[in-house]
Amino acid sequence: MNQDYTLLYKALSYHFKQAHYLKTALTHRSVGTLNNERLEFLGDALLSSIVADKLFVNFPEANEGELTRFRAHLVKRDTLVEIAQYLELGQYLHLGGGELKTGGEQRASILADAVEAIIAAIYLDSDMNTCQSIVLKLWKDRLSHLSLCTIKDPKTRLQEYLQSKKQPLPTYRVIIIGGSPHAQEFEVECIVSVLAQATSGKGETRRRAEQSAAEKALRVLHVE
């Protein structure tokens, strides 16, 4: 656990006045009762509200369903993990012995929860305007590149592409289920008739592995 937060402050564009908020945000429940679960709860609500407000302003012509899908795309676990990786949060996490042994610092659920907790920590250490500013800065690129295409998951996009070409739908097959019982990893292959080779993807659930494999198939097919 790295307790020198200099680089993290720089990545966040925010310096905590009360560092205990940040320390708590980075502490997993495996450590003890003083952990980030309560901050995660608050951060989830703050993130959803900030993103919803920005989408409402940026997309005046979008209906409720489209706004809801946009928001879901922006606050989903995969997006939170990408933010965590940008901030290099893994090195700062305070984990219990069991989580350390099983690579908890790279586990998607732990990284995503830590991002939400940090959002709440910034809010408590400052105010709503500052928290909103930091969130919008971290999500800037994602907000600017939103389109109806981006809110469709890879499996849906692959299916629609193949249908448009009058090709058979893809099939998915689990190749490997590895990892420990409480931290499984799935490897799935995606078989597409127009591709010479199947593409494969990994994830902590079968669905995430399928999405990863479908994303790779889209890249091979050069589908934006």
Side-chain angles (χ1 to χ4, degrees), residues 56-169:
F56 186 83
V57 173
N58 282 11
F59 297 93
E61 302 301 322
N63 60 40
E64 180 187 5
E66 289 168 336
L67 291 172
T68 298
R69 290 193 293 276
F70 275 134
R71 181 177 59 184
H73 174 75
L74 290 168
V75 305
K76 66 182 181 179
R77 179 185 288 184
D78 290 350
T79 302
L80 291 168
V81 171
E82 290 172 4
I83 298 293
Q85 291 169 341
Y86 163 73
L87 297 172
E88 298 184 356
L89 284 189
Q91 64 179 303
Y92 302 104
L93 294 174
H94 189 194
L95 305 172
E99 290 295 345
L100 283 171
K101 290 178 182 177
T102 56
E105 71 278 2
Q106 297 301 324
R107 187 161 302 135
S109 58
I110 293 177
L111 289 171
D113 291 348
V115 171
E116 291 178 335
I118 287 174
I119 291 170
I122 292 172
Y123 167 73
L124 295 172
D125 191 60
S126 57
D127 52 51
M128 186 60 186
N129 287 338
T130 301
C131 181
Q132 182 180 45
S133 174
I134 299 301
V135 167
L136 294 180
K137 191 174 296 184
L138 289 171
W139 266 259
K140 181 180 178 180
D141 289 344
R142 291 165 178 81
L143 283 161
S144 64
H145 290 98
L146 273 182
S147 69
L148 287 175
C149 180
T150 63
I151 62 175
K152 292 180 180 179
D153 64 78
K155 285 183 66 176
T156 300
R157 289 164 56 206
L158 179 59
Q159 178 175 313
E160 290 181 351
Y161 171 80
L162 292 172
Q163 287 176 327
S164 72
K165 301 295 183 181
K166 297 184 173 13
Q167 296 295 325
L169 296 182

Side-chain angles (χ1 to χ4, degrees), residues 200-221:
S200 65
K202 296 180 180 180
E204 58 187 29
T205 66
R206 177 172 178 168
R207 179 179 178 278
R208 291 183 186 278
E210 289 176 347
Q211 298 287 10
S212 176
E215 182 68 48
K216 290 181 181 178
L218 287 166
R219 289 196 205 116
V220 175
L221 290 165

